[in-house]
């Protein structure tokens, strides 16, 4: 497994991944710096950091986190889709299962790196705006880790589609098609919690009950995120095992 991860990482180093990882945090930083929170904070006792966090999460978690994680999945399968790459890879003494797990693990590491950089963006916004309130470390970490956990089923689904389609554009188009309706889906109490592309926003939304783990109830975390992960991961895993190369 270690050699497979090393090989996948070597291929990613040639894929200009750094701009992709930086894109979401930079956009979040721009939103936080350009947002005018004076009217919202006037006469209120709301922690200044919360306003920036809510505003930045709205666009980052709702659109850019699902979209960029899908791009990660497409990029990590790009070399195998070119010039018979799958045949060359699977001709080596490796199992299909280990290849799938390695690709999934590497995507999740990239998403975590982007989340940590996004946390840095939140902190930079507060420093540059001169916030005097204490930094809500527990709340921010709940948002960061919650968003990362919420991408687990989504990344499994995106990796599945990236393996399925040879074209780089096809899985990206599918991802865009289902990401845009999440703006409407998250406002639905009935469908929002079960929509994979809307789960990162719900898990990062500090407007929920801060007493709950990651701002969502335990049953939703286990059934929706956990169940979605098992369903999509096993689906992609079994598809890859049977895929003709």
């Amino acid at each position: 497994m270690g050699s497979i991860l090393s090989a996948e990482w070597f291929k990613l180093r040639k894929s200009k991944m750094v701009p992709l990882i930086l894109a979401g945090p930079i956009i979040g930083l721009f939103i936080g710096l350009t947002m005018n929170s004076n009217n919202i904070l006037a006469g209120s006792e709301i922690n200044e950091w919360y306003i920036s966090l809510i505003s930045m999460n709205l666009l980052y978690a709702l659109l850019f986190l699902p979209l960029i994680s899908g791009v990660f999945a497409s990029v990590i399968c790009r070399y195998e889709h070119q010039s018979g790459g799958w045949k060359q890879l699977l001709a080596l003494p490796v199992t299909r299962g280990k290849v799938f797990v390695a690709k999934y693990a590497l995507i999740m590491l990239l998403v975590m790196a982007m989340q940590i950089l996004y946390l840095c963006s939140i902190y930079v916004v507060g420093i540059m705006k001169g916030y005097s309130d204490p930094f809500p470390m527990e709340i921010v970490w709940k948002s960061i880790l919650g968003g990362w956990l919420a991408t687990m089923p989504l990344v499994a689904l995106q990796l599945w589609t990236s393996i399925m389609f040879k074209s780089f554009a096809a899985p990206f188009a599918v991802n865009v098609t289902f990401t845009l309706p999440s703006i409407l889906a998250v406002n639905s109490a009935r469908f929002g919690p079960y929509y994979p592309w809307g789960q990162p926003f719900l898990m990062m939304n500090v407007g929920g009950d801060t007493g709950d783990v990651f701002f969502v109830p335990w049953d939703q975390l286990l059934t929706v995120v956990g169940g979605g992960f098992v369903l999509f991961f096993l689906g992609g895993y079994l598809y890859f095992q049977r895929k003709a190369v």
Side-chain angles (χ1 to χ4, degrees), residues 39-124:
N39 294 333
I40 302 175
L41 294 172
S44 67
E45 298 181 356
I46 301 176
N47 189 311
E48 296 170 302
W49 295 93
Y50 290 175
I51 304 300
S52 292
L53 186 58
I54 292 172
S55 302
M56 293 168 67
N57 282 351
L58 183 62
L59 194 60
Y60 172 80
L62 201 55
L63 293 178
F64 289 98
L65 181 55
L67 286 175
I68 296 176
S69 63
V71 175
F72 289 158
S74 296
V75 169
I76 206 170
C77 295
R78 186 181 64 175
Y79 282 99
E80 283 72 23
H81 283 309
Q82 296 175 347
S83 304
W86 287 117
K87 291 182 179 180
Q88 297 176 31
L89 175 62
L90 298 177
L92 300 173
V94 296
T95 63
R96 294 192 179 204
K98 288 183 178 180
V99 171
F100 184 86
V101 172
K103 287 183 177 293
Y104 178 83
L106 197 53
I107 297 171
M108 291 306 302
L109 287 175
L110 292 174
V111 174
M112 173 55 76
M114 187 170 67
Q115 287 290 89
I116 293 176
L117 289 174
Y118 177 65
L119 184 153
C120 296
S121 295
I122 296 170
Y123 190 76
V124 169

Side-chain angles (χ1 to χ4, degrees), residues 198-224:
Q199 288 169 11
F201 172 76
L202 296 176
M203 293 281 277
M204 293 183 71
N205 181 26
V206 299
D209 186 357
T210 57
D212 287 325
V213 60
F214 303 127
F215 315 119
V216 299
W218 262 110
D219 57 348
Q220 180 177 327
L221 177 65
L222 295 176
T223 58
V224 178

Side-chain angles (χ1 to χ4, degrees), residues 184-199 202 220 224:
L184 300 176
V186 295
N187 290 311
S188 171
R190 183 177 180 182
F191 299 106
Y194 304 99
Y195 194 69
W197 284 264
Q199 288 169 11
L202 296 176
Q220 180 177 327
V224 178

Side-chain angles (χ1 to χ4, degrees), residues 143-211:
S143 181
I144 296 298
L145 292 178
W148 181 72
L149 287 175
T151 62
M152 292 180 69
L154 184 57
V155 166
L157 179 58
Q158 290 168 333
L159 180 59
W160 184 357
T161 59
S162 295
I163 293 174
M164 183 183 302
F165 296 107
K166 185 176 182 179
S167 170
F168 180 89
F172 180 73
V174 171
N175 194 30
V176 171
T177 301
F178 286 98
T179 297
L180 296 179
S182 63
I183 300 173
L184 300 176
V186 295
N187 290 311
S188 171
R190 183 177 180 182
F191 299 106
Y194 304 99
Y195 194 69
W197 284 264
Q199 288 169 11
F201 172 76
L202 296 176
M203 293 281 277
M204 293 183 71
N205 181 26
V206 299
D209 186 357
T210 57

